[in-house]
Amino acid sequence: MKRVKRIFVTALIIFAGFLLQFGLFANSPIIDTVPNILLIITVAFGFMNGKTQGMAVGFACGLLMDVASMNAVGFHMVIFILIGYVNGALHHWLYSDYVLFPLLVTAFCSFLYGGYLYVFQFLIRNRLDFVYYLLHVILPEVIYTTVLTSVVYQIISSVNYRLEEAERRSAAKFV
C-alpha cells in the first residue's frame, strides 16, 4: 500500500509540474522563456530518493516532454533518465535537506540540458551561432529554472518527508 501511495503522489507531482510548465508558464507574458519544471522534479526525486526513483521519474518526465514537444519518443527521455541517474548517485554524497546543493545541481543540469538541445536540434542542422543560443535561450532558462527550484524543491521535499514518515509509522505497526 505504501508503494502505491508513493507512486500515486509522484505521478501527481509530475502531472502538476507538466501542467505548470506547458500550461501556466508557457502562456505567461511576463518572460520569454519557460522554466523547466520537469527537470526540477527529476533532479529533486533523484537527489532525495536515489538512482532508481530518479531514473523512473526522469523516464516519466522525459516521456511527457517528448509527447508535448512532438519530438521523436526518446529524445528528451534519454537526457532526463541520465539526469535522474546522476542525481541519484549524488544522493549518497550530498545532504539533501539544504536547498543550496539542489540549486547548484539544477543549474548545472539545466545548462547541460540546454547544451543537449543545442547539439541535437541546432548544431546538427548547421546552425552554428552558439553564443546567441547561449545568451538568449540557455542562460535565461537556467536562471529562471534555478530561481524556481528553491520553491519547487521545498514543496517536493516536504511531500517526500511526509511520505517517509507515513512509511515509518506503517512499518512500526507491523513490528
Side-chain angles (χ1 to χ4, degrees), residues 27-145:
N27 297 320
S28 175
I30 297 172
I31 194 164
D32 239 3
T33 188
V34 176
N36 201 336
I37 305 287
L38 295 177
L39 180 81
I40 297 170
I41 292 170
T42 303
V43 168
F45 275 99
F47 202 67
M48 285 188 278
N49 299 322
K51 295 177 197 174
T52 305
Q53 192 164 3
M55 289 173 59
V57 170
F59 174 81
C61 291
L63 182 63
L64 283 174
M65 288 283 287
D66 285 334
V67 169
S69 64
M70 293 187 224
N71 280 333
V73 174
F75 179 75
H76 290 97
M77 214 180 329
V78 169
I79 191 71
F80 273 79
I81 289 172
L82 287 172
I83 287 171
Y85 179 81
V86 168
N87 285 295
L90 294 175
H91 167 72
H92 297 292
W93 294 318
L94 297 174
Y95 193 59
S96 65
D97 284 348
Y98 297 118
V99 77
L100 178 64
F101 294 130
L103 281 174
L104 295 175
V105 171
T106 303
F108 176 74
C109 289
S110 184
F111 190 78
L112 180 74
Y113 176 73
Y116 174 80
L117 289 181
Y118 172 75
V119 167
F120 289 107
Q121 288 186 336
F122 296 100
L123 187 64
I124 289 178
R125 289 195 238 152
N126 205 20
R127 294 182 183 167
L128 302 175
D129 197 5
F130 178 71
V131 175
Y132 178 83
Y133 190 78
L134 176 71
L135 294 176
H136 292 91
V137 177
I138 295 176
L139 287 180
E141 183 177 324
V142 167
I143 292 168
Y144 202 13
T145 300

